[in-house]
Amino acid sequence: MIKWIGRGIGLLLIAAAIVFFGVLPGIVEKGQNPVVAHTPYAISPKAQALHDSLIIGDLHTDSLMWNRNLLKRGDRGQVDFPRLREGNVAVQVLTTVTKSPAGQNYDHNSTDARDNITLLAMAEMWPIKSWFDLTERGLYMAGRLEATPNKPLIRSI
């Protein structure tokens, strides 16, 4: 009987690990960064010509904190390289998020608040040294960007 209980507990732990490490990060990102399908906006030829003549820049995205391939069009998140190209974005600043307090808001953030990135780092199986070291988190995200094959980052204008 105890043997079966032990096996059951072991299977539950394995299932919990699969959900925590394999499924939960994608669910969290999709909930925080949904892509809402919609019909294309009506754009006048004059507005399109102006847009096409500009150098478009976006100075902030947190995409490096999520484990997904930015070279492929995503069904979640605000930024991936196919959508950047379609939007004529020539400059994109990819931030490294090293700390984000629970309950973050504009008015006041508690210094004692739990850090949301720690749990994300664990769930996405970042290197253990990055779980509790802000510098290591930044270096890990920068390293993931550096390891991107066929970097679409440099484009002549």
Side-chain angles (χ1 to χ4, degrees):
M1 177 73 163
I2 293 177
K3 187 180 193 179
W4 288 105
I5 292 172
R7 287 182 181 168
I9 291 171
L11 286 174
L12 282 173
L13 288 174
I14 290 170
I18 290 170
V19 169
F20 183 76
F21 295 114
V23 178
L24 190 60
I27 291 171
V28 170
E29 183 191 9
K30 202 167 200 172
Q32 290 185 354
N33 302 305
V35 173
V36 179
H38 61 84
T39 56
Y41 297 111
I43 301 170
S44 71
K46 186 176 178 181
Q48 186 65 55
L50 172 63
H51 180 80
D52 292 343
S53 72
L54 298 173
I55 298 173
I56 308 295
D58 177 359
L59 301 180
H60 181 104
T61 185
D62 297 334
S63 297
L64 292 176
M65 67 188 230
W66 304 102
N67 282 343
R68 62 185 182 85
N69 185 347
L70 297 179
L71 296 176
K72 294 183 180 176
R73 173 180 286 282
D75 63 350
R76 62 183 191 259
Q78 291 97 18
V79 170
D80 54 54
F81 291 112
R83 287 186 285 163
L84 288 171
R85 280 190 204 100
E86 288 172 12
N88 195 32
V89 176
V91 177
Q92 178 65 62
V93 176
L94 295 150
T95 61
T96 54
V97 182
T98 58
K99 189 172 183 180
S100 175
Q104 182 176 15
N105 63 65
Y106 290 107
D107 297 328
H108 175 74
N109 292 296
S110 171
T111 56
D112 298 332
R114 169 185 52 82
D115 175 36
N116 292 322
I117 304 301
T118 301
L119 190 58
L120 178 68
M122 291 175 179
E124 290 195 337
M125 296 187 290
W126 294 6
I128 292 173
K129 62 185 178 178
S130 71
W131 293 3
F132 304 105
D133 185 310
L134 303 183
T135 301
E136 288 297 328
R137 289 179 189 177
L139 291 171
Y140 172 68
M141 286 183 263
R144 283 189 12 219
L145 180 61
E146 181 61 29
T148 301
N150 304 317
K151 295 174 193 62
L153 301 175
I154 300 173
R155 181 178 107 188
S156 60
I157 298 173

